[in-house]
Amino acid sequence: MKRRTFLKGSVAAGAVSAAVGAGLLTPRAVLAAWPTNAFQATSVDAALDALAGSHAMQASDKVQIDAPDLGENSAVVPVKVTSQLADIESISIIVDKNASPLTASFILGPGVEGFVNTRIKMGKTSNVIAVVKAGGKLYSAQKEVKITIGGCGG
């Protein structure tokens, strides 16, 4: 091990320990906000009910989802969600035929741009639904992504 790497690691570990000790980092508070019921739900409606309190969505042209038509590797399907809605509170990604449909949920702070770029895991060909919560309402856009067996493109 190089001395410089060891020193960087030691300083970083010390800083994190001091922050935890001072109460600046409270993992319990972060984990308490984790929407366990939403991620364990087995239907789209149940996931949205647990996550947002309602599953009433309306399609909007102000929500765009960019995903490939054909996902060759179901373990890493790139998905990009953008929205021009005002007062965006969260962006969630749902795969309706996954065993647990809620794949990702991002809570956004005030004044941020409505943009999420991530990779998701899909079990089989399905609709990928982008759900944007703005102004207390749910807006959505969806796209079907076909998954090839074995990721060989055939």
Side-chain angles (χ1 to χ4, degrees), residues 8-9 14 31 33 35 38 43 55 57 74 87 99 107 121-122 128 136 142 151 153:
K8 283 181 181 177
L31 293 176
S43 71
H55 61 267
M57 300 181 285
S74 65
D87 302 326
I107 298 172
K121 186 173 184 177
M122 296 181 65
V128 177
Q142 69 179 18

PDB file of all heavy atoms in Angstrom, residues 8-9 14 31 33 35 38 43 55 57 74 87 99 107 121-122 128 136 142 151 153:
ATOM      1  N   LYS A   8      -4.684   9.250   2.859  1.00  0.00           N
ATOM      2  CA  LYS A   8      -5.984   9.731   2.388  1.00  0.00           C
ATOM      3  C   LYS A   8      -7.121   8.940   3.009  1.00  0.00           C
ATOM      4  O   LYS A   8      -8.123   9.496   3.460  1.00  0.00           O
ATOM      5  CB  LYS A   8      -6.079   9.637   0.860  1.00  0.00           C
ATOM      6  CG  LYS A   8      -5.336  10.707   0.126  1.00  0.00           C
ATOM      7  CD  LYS A   8      -5.544  10.506  -1.376  1.00  0.00           C
ATOM      8  CE  LYS A   8      -4.803  11.530  -2.176  1.00  0.00           C
ATOM      9  NZ  LYS A   8      -4.957  11.287  -3.626  1.00  0.00           N
ATOM     10  N   GLY A   9      -6.958   7.619   3.047  1.00  0.00           N
ATOM     11  CA  GLY A   9      -7.989   6.765   3.629  1.00  0.00           C
ATOM     12  C   GLY A   9      -8.163   7.021   5.116  1.00  0.00           C
ATOM     13  O   GLY A   9      -9.282   7.052   5.638  1.00  0.00           O
ATOM     14  N   GLY A  14     -11.384   9.164   9.452  1.00  0.00           N
ATOM     15  CA  GLY A  14     -11.437  10.007  10.641  1.00  0.00           C
ATOM     16  C   GLY A  14     -12.496  11.086  10.522  1.00  0.00           C
ATOM     17  O   GLY A  14     -13.227  11.367  11.479  1.00  0.00           O
ATOM     18  N   LEU A  31     -32.449   6.104   6.835  1.00  0.00           N
ATOM     19  CA  LEU A  31     -33.116   4.829   6.596  1.00  0.00           C
ATOM     20  C   LEU A  31     -34.587   4.882   6.970  1.00  0.00           C
ATOM     21  O   LEU A  31     -35.393   4.158   6.409  1.00  0.00           O
ATOM     22  CB  LEU A  31     -32.407   3.712   7.362  1.00  0.00           C
ATOM     23  CG  LEU A  31     -30.997   3.405   6.866  1.00  0.00           C
ATOM     24  CD1 LEU A  31     -30.342   2.361   7.757  1.00  0.00           C
ATOM     25  CD2 LEU A  31     -31.020   2.934   5.434  1.00  0.00           C
ATOM     26  N   ALA A  33     -36.600   7.132   6.246  1.00  0.00           N
ATOM     27  CA  ALA A  33     -37.345   7.680   5.124  1.00  0.00           C
ATOM     28  C   ALA A  33     -37.436   6.707   3.954  1.00  0.00           C
ATOM     29  O   ALA A  33     -38.113   6.996   2.984  1.00  0.00           O
ATOM     30  CB  ALA A  33     -36.682   8.978   4.658  1.00  0.00           C
ATOM     31  N   PRO A  35     -38.798   4.128   1.618  1.00  0.00           N
ATOM     32  CA  PRO A  35     -40.164   3.641   1.435  1.00  0.00           C
ATOM     33  C   PRO A  35     -40.202   2.120   1.205  1.00  0.00           C
ATOM     34  O   PRO A  35     -40.450   1.652   0.094  1.00  0.00           O
ATOM     35  CB  PRO A  35     -40.637   4.415   0.207  1.00  0.00           C
ATOM     36  CG  PRO A  35     -39.392   4.678  -0.560  1.00  0.00           C
ATOM     37  CD  PRO A  35     -38.294   4.827   0.452  1.00  0.00           C
ATOM     38  N   ALA A  38     -43.264   0.576  -0.542  1.00  0.00           N
ATOM     39  CA  ALA A  38     -43.357   0.887  -1.975  1.00  0.00           C
ATOM     40  C   ALA A  38     -42.439  -0.025  -2.784  1.00  0.00           C
ATOM     41  O   ALA A  38     -42.824  -0.525  -3.845  1.00  0.00           O
ATOM     42  CB  ALA A  38     -43.002   2.343  -2.217  1.00  0.00           C
ATOM     43  N   SER A  43     -47.510  -4.670  -7.285  1.00  0.00           N
ATOM     44  CA  SER A  43     -48.254  -4.091  -8.403  1.00  0.00           C
ATOM     45  C   SER A  43     -47.917  -2.605  -8.504  1.00  0.00           C
ATOM     46  O   SER A  43     -47.483  -1.983  -7.531  1.00  0.00           O
ATOM     47  CB  SER A  43     -49.760  -4.272  -8.213  1.00  0.00           C
ATOM     48  OG  SER A  43     -50.228  -3.447  -7.174  1.00  0.00           O
ATOM     49  N   HIS A  55     -52.456   6.432  -6.748  1.00  0.00           N
ATOM     50  CA  HIS A  55     -51.938   5.877  -7.999  1.00  0.00           C
ATOM     51  C   HIS A  55     -52.591   6.547  -9.212  1.00  0.00           C
ATOM     52  O   HIS A  55     -52.460   6.077 -10.335  1.00  0.00           O
ATOM     53  CB  HIS A  55     -52.113   4.354  -8.047  1.00  0.00           C
ATOM     54  CG  HIS A  55     -53.549   3.913  -7.978  1.00  0.00           C
ATOM     55  ND1 HIS A  55     -54.159   3.603  -6.804  1.00  0.00           N
ATOM     56  CD2 HIS A  55     -54.471   3.748  -8.949  1.00  0.00           C
ATOM     57  CE1 HIS A  55     -55.410   3.253  -7.039  1.00  0.00           C
ATOM     58  NE2 HIS A  55     -55.628   3.335  -8.345  1.00  0.00           N
ATOM     59  N   MET A  57     -52.498   8.749 -11.989  1.00  0.00           N
ATOM     60  CA  MET A  57     -51.505   9.439 -12.805  1.00  0.00           C
ATOM     61  C   MET A  57     -52.202   9.964 -14.050  1.00  0.00           C
ATOM     62  O   MET A  57     -53.178   9.393 -14.509  1.00  0.00           O
ATOM     63  CB  MET A  57     -50.420   8.476 -13.299  1.00  0.00           C
ATOM     64  CG  MET A  57     -49.640   7.775 -12.254  1.00  0.00           C
ATOM     65  SD  MET A  57     -48.388   6.722 -13.014  1.00  0.00           S
ATOM     66  CE  MET A  57     -49.364   5.344 -13.611  1.00  0.00           C
ATOM     67  N   SER A  74     -30.498  -7.158 -19.670  1.00  0.00           N
ATOM     68  CA  SER A  74     -31.596  -6.761 -18.793  1.00  0.00           C
ATOM     69  C   SER A  74     -31.117  -6.255 -17.436  1.00  0.00           C
ATOM     70  O   SER A  74     -31.887  -5.660 -16.703  1.00  0.00           O
ATOM     71  CB  SER A  74     -32.557  -7.922 -18.597  1.00  0.00           C
ATOM     72  OG  SER A  74     -31.911  -8.982 -17.911  1.00  0.00           O
ATOM     73  N   ASP A  87     -42.164  22.814  -9.898  1.00  0.00           N
ATOM     74  CA  ASP A  87     -42.315  22.294  -8.529  1.00  0.00           C
ATOM     75  C   ASP A  87     -42.224  20.767  -8.471  1.00  0.00           C
ATOM     76  O   ASP A  87     -43.058  20.119  -7.843  1.00  0.00           O
ATOM     77  CB  ASP A  87     -43.628  22.761  -7.902  1.00  0.00           C
ATOM     78  CG  ASP A  87     -43.746  24.265  -7.850  1.00  0.00           C
ATOM     79  OD1 ASP A  87     -42.700  24.928  -7.663  1.00  0.00           O
ATOM     80  OD2 ASP A  87     -44.869  24.781  -8.010  1.00  0.00           O
ATOM     81  N   ALA A  99     -41.115  -8.151 -10.724  1.00  0.00           N
ATOM     82  CA  ALA A  99     -41.731  -8.694  -9.512  1.00  0.00           C
ATOM     83  C   ALA A  99     -41.994  -7.583  -8.503  1.00  0.00           C
ATOM     84  O   ALA A  99     -43.020  -7.579  -7.820  1.00  0.00           O
ATOM     85  CB  ALA A  99     -40.834  -9.767  -8.907  1.00  0.00           C
ATOM     86  N   ILE A 107     -36.025  11.721  -4.750  1.00  0.00           N
ATOM     87  CA  ILE A 107     -36.680  12.893  -4.169  1.00  0.00           C
ATOM     88  C   ILE A 107     -35.809  14.095  -4.504  1.00  0.00           C
ATOM     89  O   ILE A 107     -34.616  14.115  -4.190  1.00  0.00           O
ATOM     90  CB  ILE A 107     -36.858  12.731  -2.648  1.00  0.00           C
ATOM     91  CG1 ILE A 107     -37.767  11.533  -2.384  1.00  0.00           C
ATOM     92  CG2 ILE A 107     -37.430  14.008  -2.034  1.00  0.00           C
ATOM     93  CD1 ILE A 107     -37.882  11.149  -0.921  1.00  0.00           C
ATOM     94  N   LYS A 121     -32.806  -2.540 -13.742  1.00  0.00           N
ATOM     95  CA  LYS A 121     -32.813  -3.976 -14.028  1.00  0.00           C
ATOM     96  C   LYS A 121     -34.236  -4.366 -14.404  1.00  0.00           C
ATOM     97  O   LYS A 121     -35.193  -3.987 -13.723  1.00  0.00           O
ATOM     98  CB  LYS A 121     -32.362  -4.754 -12.801  1.00  0.00           C
ATOM     99  CG  LYS A 121     -32.188  -6.216 -13.031  1.00  0.00           C
ATOM    100  CD  LYS A 121     -31.582  -6.869 -11.811  1.00  0.00           C
ATOM    101  CE  LYS A 121     -31.306  -8.325 -12.079  1.00  0.00           C
ATOM    102  NZ  LYS A 121     -30.643  -8.962 -10.930  1.00  0.00           N
ATOM    103  N   MET A 122     -34.363  -5.111 -15.510  1.00  0.00           N
ATOM    104  CA  MET A 122     -35.676  -5.547 -15.964  1.00  0.00           C
ATOM    105  C   MET A 122     -35.700  -7.067 -16.067  1.00  0.00           C
ATOM    106  O   MET A 122     -34.742  -7.673 -16.534  1.00  0.00           O
ATOM    107  CB  MET A 122     -35.997  -4.933 -17.328  1.00  0.00           C
ATOM    108  CG  MET A 122     -36.100  -3.421 -17.317  1.00  0.00           C
ATOM    109  SD  MET A 122     -36.493  -2.741 -18.935  1.00  0.00           S
ATOM    110  CE  MET A 122     -38.132  -3.410 -19.215  1.00  0.00           C
ATOM    111  N   VAL A 128     -41.754   0.658 -19.301  1.00  0.00           N
ATOM    112  CA  VAL A 128     -41.036   1.426 -18.290  1.00  0.00           C
ATOM    113  C   VAL A 128     -41.794   2.736 -18.142  1.00  0.00           C
ATOM    114  O   VAL A 128     -42.020   3.443 -19.122  1.00  0.00           O
ATOM    115  CB  VAL A 128     -39.575   1.671 -18.711  1.00  0.00           C
ATOM    116  CG1 VAL A 128     -38.866   2.534 -17.683  1.00  0.00           C
ATOM    117  CG2 VAL A 128     -38.851   0.340 -18.893  1.00  0.00           C
ATOM    118  N   GLY A 136     -48.051  18.101  -6.058  1.00  0.00           N
ATOM    119  CA  GLY A 136     -48.945  17.154  -5.399  1.00  0.00           C
ATOM    120  C   GLY A 136     -49.656  16.193  -6.338  1.00  0.00           C
ATOM    121  O   GLY A 136     -50.424  15.343  -5.895  1.00  0.00           O
ATOM    122  N   GLN A 142     -44.547   6.697 -20.605  1.00  0.00           N
ATOM    123  CA  GLN A 142     -44.072   5.315 -20.611  1.00  0.00           C
ATOM    124  C   GLN A 142     -43.546   4.916 -21.966  1.00  0.00           C
ATOM    125  O   GLN A 142     -43.864   5.529 -22.985  1.00  0.00           O
ATOM    126  CB  GLN A 142     -45.160   4.349 -20.163  1.00  0.00           C
ATOM    127  CG  GLN A 142     -46.319   4.192 -21.123  1.00  0.00           C
ATOM    128  CD  GLN A 142     -47.346   3.197 -20.598  1.00  0.00           C
ATOM    129  OE1 GLN A 142     -47.383   2.878 -19.425  1.00  0.00           O
ATOM    130  NE2 GLN A 142     -48.178   2.698 -21.479  1.00  0.00           N
ATOM    131  N   GLY A 151     -29.175 -11.621 -23.586  1.00  0.00           N
ATOM    132  CA  GLY A 151     -28.451 -10.415 -23.942  1.00  0.00           C
ATOM    133  C   GLY A 151     -27.639 -10.523 -25.213  1.00  0.00           C
ATOM    134  O   GLY A 151     -26.674  -9.813 -25.397  1.00  0.00           O
ATOM    135  N   GLY A 153     -28.918 -10.078 -28.319  1.00  0.00           N
ATOM    136  CA  GLY A 153     -29.496  -9.264 -29.362  1.00  0.00           C
ATOM    137  C   GLY A 153     -30.347 -10.032 -30.351  1.00  0.00           C
ATOM    138  O   GLY A 153     -30.801  -9.492 -31.332  1.00  0.00           O
TER     139      GLY A 153
END
